[in-house]
Amino acid sequence: MNSDEKQDCECAPPQAESTPAEEYDRSLEESDIENPEASRMKRAAAKHLIERYYHQLTEGCGNEACTNDFCASCPGFHRMDNNAAAVKALELYKMNAKLCDPHPSKKGTSSAYLENSAKGPHHNSACSDRKMNHRDLHPVRDDFKDLNYLTEETVYEILDICREKEDYSPLIRVIGRIFSSADGLVQSFRKAKQHTKEELKSLQAKDEDKDEDEKEKAACSATAMEEDSEASSSRTAEGASQGDSSNHKLGPDEVSVDIEAVRRVYNRLLSNEKIEAAFLNALVYLSPNVECDLTYHNVYSRDPNYLNLFIIVMENSNLHSPEYLEIALPLFCKAMSKLPLPALAKLVRLWSQYSAEQIRRMMETFQQLITYKVISNEFNSRNLVNDDDSVTAATKCLKIVYYANILGGDLDTEHNEDEDEEPPPESSELMLQELLGEERRNKKGPRVDPLETELGVKTIDCRRPLIPFEEFVNEPLNDVLEMDKDYTFFKVETENKFSFMTCPFILNAVTKNLGLYYDNRIRMYSERRITVLYSLVQGQQLNPYLRLKVRRDHIIDDALVRLEMIAMENPADLKKQLYVEFEGEQGVDEGGVSKEFFQLVVEEIFNPDIGMFTYDETTKLFWFNPSSFETEGQFTLIGIVLGLAIYNNCILDVHFPMVVYRKLMGKKGTFRDLADSHPVQYQSLKELLDYEGSVEDDMMITFQISQTDIFGNPLMYDLKENGDKIPVTNDNRREFVAQYAEYMLNKSVEKQFKAFRRGFHMVTNESPLKYLFRPEEIELLICGSRNLDFQALEETTEYDGGYNRESRIIKDFWETVHSFPEEQKRLFLQFTTGTDRAPVGGLGKLKMIIAKNGPDTDRLPTSHTCFNVLLLPEYTTKEKLRERLLKAITYAKGFGML
């Protein structure tokens, strides 16, 4: 076959020298009479052609993208045994079927067969394992217009030709044409077909003699059965064409593209600037067509290999360069964002197998596009960043990389906490809401990302991602995001507007906290509105707030009784805005009274003398006391308090290990969580796991452990049935460690923690809290930042009543405050804001106001903690300012009307 006229692996019909079926039939009748030599030559040619058909049916042409239904290399081809192949070869000969040229990547037996058949039907030679020389098969040419897809070998062949001529225009034209064509790119760089074990055995056992025998057998079978086959050939061909045309089914994580080959090709080509420009221009032409295919033609469901296109493009390590960021990458991201959910999940699973460096490269590609678009445009309340298609599409693409980062990290998909057996009772106002057409949204809880559901993995399942979560946060985007508008899009769930709250990984804790604040305030307003309507309909007393009237000396008892009644009668009241009143005090609660209420409740509940929690001096953390005599109601109360603190945007001085927040999010504690909650036990268990001697002989431990109760008495507990009789050995020590951690973190405090979690969920069950925040961020929400940057506070403080930044007393004030030790700084914060913690984002996010409160006087400074306002008289000396301020912050307690 003349390779100058054929493409490398294009399916081509037999050439003119092949004997057609009619001539073969006639030669059988007349050969002996007219010309015995001509008859012999015709029979030899026919035999040679049938042998090629047989070889094509048993071993294929070597091109994994072959479209010939009668070739073993075709993805839809059904394998057949040698006898069936012999019959089929005759049928194909008679119908003059397509015959493939051998592919350049074909090795071994196929290469040997090609050489043998090229030298003649009777030429015998040993099988060769060497690669075929592309130059031998394909003489140098300048025209590659008939090339419809690329392989690694083809690219290198063209590259060698271009180097010899010092002209890269042929390669540039080929890349421009193939990489701008979705069909061409999808077919390119396919993996070599993996043979089954049976096929590999057959190929290994086959030697030259057996190969020749099979060919002889095929020819003999063809001659003997030609009469029978003539009648059935058309039916067989029709059935084969119908059965073999289906695509090869890919596994859930399987792709047909050879990713390593793609990487090698890019490494060879991207160093040439002209060739790089070809990739860039091709991507600009390719992307709109791909977007159209995915949007309107449902192309992925018809051909899962369509995903190859995105895999190949994303391997381009120059995508983040300025040339791509302007036009090419935004267009490609828009196309990629149109992928259906199954395709996104498949990309996640594939990319999760990549290294951390590869994940980071893709993450940085999308992050740079987002940052570039944000800083090159002026976004504001009228020109929303949500309306920029490039930014939103890149964020959707970044989500794929984010979940790949999770899936490829250290996962713990097990150890999930059981849900509460009894969900919180529904509000008695629910019927009224339904009548008013305001049925609650998300009654079954907050939303779940569809991609999480498709993958069967959650962010909370990831102990350690491939790259840190913080690298996915885009600060420039957070700076320009109008959170009130974004929250509206999030709640309405409109298809026309994109909300960045659906991709919380890109938002920092401050932005997410603002979104949560809007959600809480709107819910409070809704509860107030419903209460007003309810009172009008039912004629009951108006009570739009969650009112708590407490005595300072009995704060726990008063709060517990009131909150328990609310939780039993109408838990929806917990969603109302909190309003606290201290008996005998005149303070009006605009936020400051609530802050002190929370502080006093926390101080009381976490008092070690009460015995609800144990305190670890080394870690400075509290843990649930498994031997506590307190009722479940009191643990429910502290859960409600934590929930109310988040709901009312207050910061608490609580000190829990991280495992508590993980358990609140639905995960059980494991051995790794002991590291910060019970460090002494963790270290002992780690030494047990690492011990190289005989654990049973040297340590003599059993599956029975001892604990001490609240009075210091030892309590024995069997980790397994008859645990005192089961020794811990080198073989079962991992089981012992797991069972020990399970008891310490879960079983021993199950009753207390369930009550605690129930109280927390009474307030937060309808909140997007779990959707938006990770456990580390939940702790930040509740406890605030422990880093007190007073320099940042000074920069953001505002002044009123005649003071300004240049006033003498203001300069003296900040010099005094900066000179305070850590404890006095915390007292100052407590005095001014109602809490000694910095809010989420640090003290720079705290809007404090210093107002003038008259001329020099002996009066102490005062504050409105609700509004973070410090009322400061204009003291004449710095010393008097320091003395008055220290006395005020040291002895401040209680509220009075000014």
Side-chain angles (χ1 to χ4, degrees), residues 90 112 136 192 328 371 404 427 434 458 462 490 519 530 563 600 605 618 627 653 659 694-695 725 777 800 805 861 883:
L90 178 61
D136 297 339
T371 302
S427 167
E434 292 173 349
K458 304 175 185 175
C462 187
F490 177 74
D519 187 81
I530 290 297
L563 289 173
L600 293 175
I605 285 183
T618 58
S627 306
D653 185 21
V659 65
S694 173
V695 172
K725 300 175 182 176
E777 295 170 321
D800 195 12
R805 196 175 296 276
E883 184 266 334

Side-chain angles (χ1 to χ4, degrees), residues 28 89 254 337 389-390 401 496 512 548 637 701 735 803 866 892 894:
L28 291 177
E254 182 185 4
S337 67
D389 292 339
S390 300
V401 183
N496 301 323
K512 288 190 281 191
L548 293 179
L637 170 63
I701 310 172
E735 181 188 4
Y803 286 157
C866 310

